Amino acid sequence: MTDEGATGPSGVPAREPGTDGGRSEVEQLHARVTALEAEKAAREPRHRWKSFFAAVLIIIGCVLAPLAAVAAWASSQVGDTDRYVQTVAPLASDPDIQAAAANRVTNAVMEHIDLPTLLEGVAPADRPLLEKGLGKLGGALESAVRSFVHDKAQEVIASETFERIWTDANRRIHTAVDKALTGTGGGAVKINNDSVTVDLGPVVDQVKQRLVDEGMTAAAKIPKVHTDFTVLRADNIGKFKTYFRLLQIAGMWLPVLSVLLIAVGVLLSRHRRHVLVIAALAFAFAMLMLGAGLAVFRVAYLNALPDNVSQPAAGSIYDALTQYLRSTVRMAVVLGVVIALAAWLTGPGRWATVVRQGWHSGIGAVRATADRAGLRTGPVGPFVHRHRGWITWILVAAAVLTFILWSYPTGLVIICIALVLLFALAVAEFLQENGNDRSPAQAGVHEPPPR
C-alpha cells in the first residue's frame, strides 16, 4: 500500500494519475484542438474564395469552348486554301449539286432558244439527228427541247469537265470568301445580293457545243451566257464580316485560352479530381450544345433561302462547309468524356476501386500464367517496378503530345489514342516485377526438401 507521503525517485512527491498532471495534459490537448479549429476557421474563407474563382474560371472556359471551336473553324476554312478546296471538291460529284446545276444551266439555255424558228434554222441534213434526239417531237416542242437540253447539261456536269470547272472556281472562291466579307470579288466568283456565287458560263458553253454536235445548230447562235450558282448566302453580309473577322483573328488563341481557364480553375479547387470530372463533362456538354446549334441553324438557313435556290444542294454545301466544325464537336465531346472517365477511374471511389482491382487482378493472372509457362522478364521486371511512376507519366505525356501534334484529330483518333495508352499501361503493369514478392520457385531458388 502506498503512503501519502511517498516520494518519487528524485524526492519530488509523486502525482497520482488523474490529478494535476492528467488535467494538464487534457488542457494541452484541448488547447491544441482549439488552435487547429481556429486555424481551420481562418482558412475557410480563403478556400471559399478560391473555390468561387475556380468555378467562375471553369464556367467561362466552358462558355468560350464552343466559340473557340467556331473561331478555329473560321481560321482553318478561310486561312487554308488547300483545305477549303479539299472540303468542297467532292461536291462536284454530289447528286443534289449536279441536279441543281443542270437545272440552272438548262434554264439559262432555254431563255435564249427561239422555239418557233428552231427547226427552220436547222440544216436539212441535221434534222434526222435532231428529231431522234427530241424523240421525234412526241410531246410538246418546248418540253421535248427542254428535256433534250437537260440531258446534255447532265452529261457535261457528270463529266470531268464540270469537276475541273468546280474545283478551279472554288479555288478562286476561297479568295472571294476571304474578301467576301469586305464586299469584293471577281472572275467566276462574285458577291451579289449577299450571296457568294459561281458563274456556270463555262458549263453553258460546253452544253451549247454538245447541242450543236447533236444537230441543234441553232444553239450556236446562243450568245455568251452567265448564270450564277449560289454557294453561300447570308443576309446583311456586311454586318456579318466584322464578327467573322474577329473569329478568324481569335482562331489561334481562343481555344488555348479556353483550355487554360478550365485548367487553372481545376488547379485552384480543393477537390481537384472531383472538379476535373465535373469540368470535363461540362466542357463536353457545351460542345454538344454547339452541335445541336449547328443542326438548328441548318434548318433555319435552308428555310430562309429564296425559292430559286435548291435546298438539297444548299444543304449539301452547308454540310460540306461545316464538316470540320462538326468533326471538332464530336472530338471535343469524346475528349471531355475520356478525361472525366480517366479522372474518375483513378479516384478513391468505390466502383473506381473495384474496376482498378479487376484490372490488376486480370493482369496479375496473365503474368502468373506466363510465369508458369517459363516466361521471365529478366532485369526488365525489377527496372519497370522501380520506375513505374515515371513510366506511367511518360506514357501519359506521349498520349497528350500525340493529340496536340495531330493536325485535325477526330473522335475516333481520341478513342484510338486512349486505347493505345491503356494497352501501353497494361504492358507496363505486366512487365513490372517485384523480386521480393516472388515465390522461391519463381525466383529460381529451390527450397530444401522437408526433413
Side-chain angles (χ1 to χ4, degrees):
M1 184 174 180
T2 305
D3 296 334
E4 294 181 359
T7 59
S10 59
V12 179
R15 294 179 177 177
E16 295 181 2
T19 59
D20 293 343
R23 285 196 299 271
S24 178
E25 292 178 359
V26 172
E27 291 175 355
Q28 291 177 2
L29 181 60
H30 179 70
R32 180 59 179 166
V33 171
T34 303
L36 290 175
E37 290 178 350
E39 184 180 354
K40 179 181 179 181
R43 289 198 308 262
E44 194 64 28
R46 183 176 60 184
H47 287 316
R48 282 199 296 264
W49 278 109
K50 288 180 62 177
S51 299
F52 172 76
F53 282 119
V56 170
L57 291 177
I58 291 174
I59 292 174
I60 294 176
C62 291
V63 171
L64 288 179
L67 189 60
V70 176
W73 166 78
S75 178
S76 173
Q77 292 294 339
V78 177
D80 190 340
T81 302
D82 292 334
R83 180 164 179 79
Y84 172 82
V85 173
Q86 182 182 1
T87 300
V88 299
L91 289 174
S93 303
D94 185 271
D96 293 329
I97 298 294
Q98 290 184 346
N103 291 335
R104 190 68 178 169
V105 170
T106 300
N107 293 335
V109 172
M110 291 299 297
E111 290 177 358
H112 296 83
I113 290 181
D114 187 6
L115 293 177
T117 60
L118 175 64
L119 294 179
E120 297 178 1
V122 177
D126 293 332
R127 288 191 179 187
L129 181 62
L130 178 60
E131 291 178 354
K132 180 180 179 181
L134 296 177
K136 296 184 179 180
L137 301 181
L141 177 61
E142 181 178 1
S143 176
V145 173
R146 176 175 289 276
S147 177
F148 182 62
V149 172
H150 188 268
D151 290 342
K152 300 310 166 187
Q154 283 186 322
E155 289 179 6
V156 173
I157 291 174
S159 66
E160 295 181 357
T161 301
F162 178 69
E163 293 183 5
R164 184 176 62 255
I165 293 172
W166 177 265
T167 302
D168 293 343
N170 275 282
R171 185 169 293 277
R172 292 190 296 270
I173 208 176
H174 179 268
T175 303
V177 168
D178 192 13
K179 295 181 179 179
L181 308 172
T182 63
T184 61
V189 184
K190 54 181 177 291
I191 313 301
N192 287 324
N193 299 324
D194 295 336
S195 298
V196 180
T197 60
V198 175
D199 184 10
L200 295 181
V203 179
V204 175
D205 293 339
Q206 293 286 331
V207 173
K208 285 164 49 179
Q209 184 60 45
R210 295 213 176 192
L211 292 176
V212 172
D213 294 341
E214 293 292 335
M216 189 181 291
T217 54
K221 301 178 180 179
I222 297 176
K224 187 71 174 180
V225 176
H226 294 280
T227 183
D228 296 332
F229 183 85
T230 301
V231 176
L232 179 66
R233 180 178 177 84
D235 295 333
N236 299 322
I237 198 169
K239 296 180 180 179
F240 179 71
K241 67 180 181 181
T242 302
Y243 305 107
F244 194 88
R245 182 59 180 165
L246 289 176
L247 287 177
Q248 186 181 2
I249 295 174
M252 297 299 297
W253 55 265
L254 195 55
V256 177
L257 177 62
S258 174
V259 174
L260 285 179
L261 288 175
I262 296 175
V264 173
V266 172
L267 292 176
L268 285 177
S269 60
R270 295 182 60 183
H271 308 286
R272 294 175 181 174
R273 193 186 306 275
H274 180 69
V275 173
L276 177 58
V277 173
I278 297 177
L281 293 179
F283 173 80
F285 178 77
M287 296 302 296
L288 193 61
M289 290 299 97
L290 173 60
L294 289 175
V296 172
F297 182 77
R298 183 183 190 275
V299 176
Y301 171 74
L302 295 181
N303 290 336
L305 292 175
D307 295 336
N308 61 341
V309 177
S310 171
Q311 286 203 2
S316 297
I317 294 175
Y318 178 89
D319 293 338
L321 292 178
T322 59
Q323 177 182 358
Y324 167 71
L325 185 55
R326 289 182 285 113
S327 177
T328 301
V329 168
R330 292 191 293 268
M331 179 274 296
V333 172
V334 173
L335 179 62
V337 173
V338 168
I339 293 177
L341 186 61
W344 175 76
L345 285 175
T346 56
R350 176 185 175 186
W351 290 108
T353 302
V354 171
V355 172
R356 291 198 304 271
Q357 289 175 347
W359 167 274
H360 295 308
S361 298
I363 296 177
V366 175
R367 188 191 305 115
T369 303
D371 286 340
R372 287 193 297 269
L375 300 176
R376 298 289 183 266
T377 59
V380 175
F383 174 82
V384 174
H385 179 77
R386 289 193 304 269
H387 304 284
R388 184 71 174 87
W390 281 103
I391 292 175
T392 299
W393 281 111
I394 289 174
L395 292 176
V396 173
V400 174
L401 186 62
T402 301
F403 167 74
I404 294 175
L405 296 180
W406 203 286
S407 298
Y408 295 98
T410 62
L412 181 60
V413 170
I414 299 298
I415 294 176
C416 290
I417 292 176
L419 292 177
V420 171
L421 176 60
L422 285 177
F423 177 76
L425 292 175
V427 171
E429 178 77 15
F430 174 81
L431 290 178
Q432 75 167 342
E433 182 179 333
N434 186 358
N436 297 329
D437 296 337
R438 295 176 60 185
S439 65
Q442 292 174 331
V445 178
H446 300 283
E447 296 180 343
R451 294 183 180 179

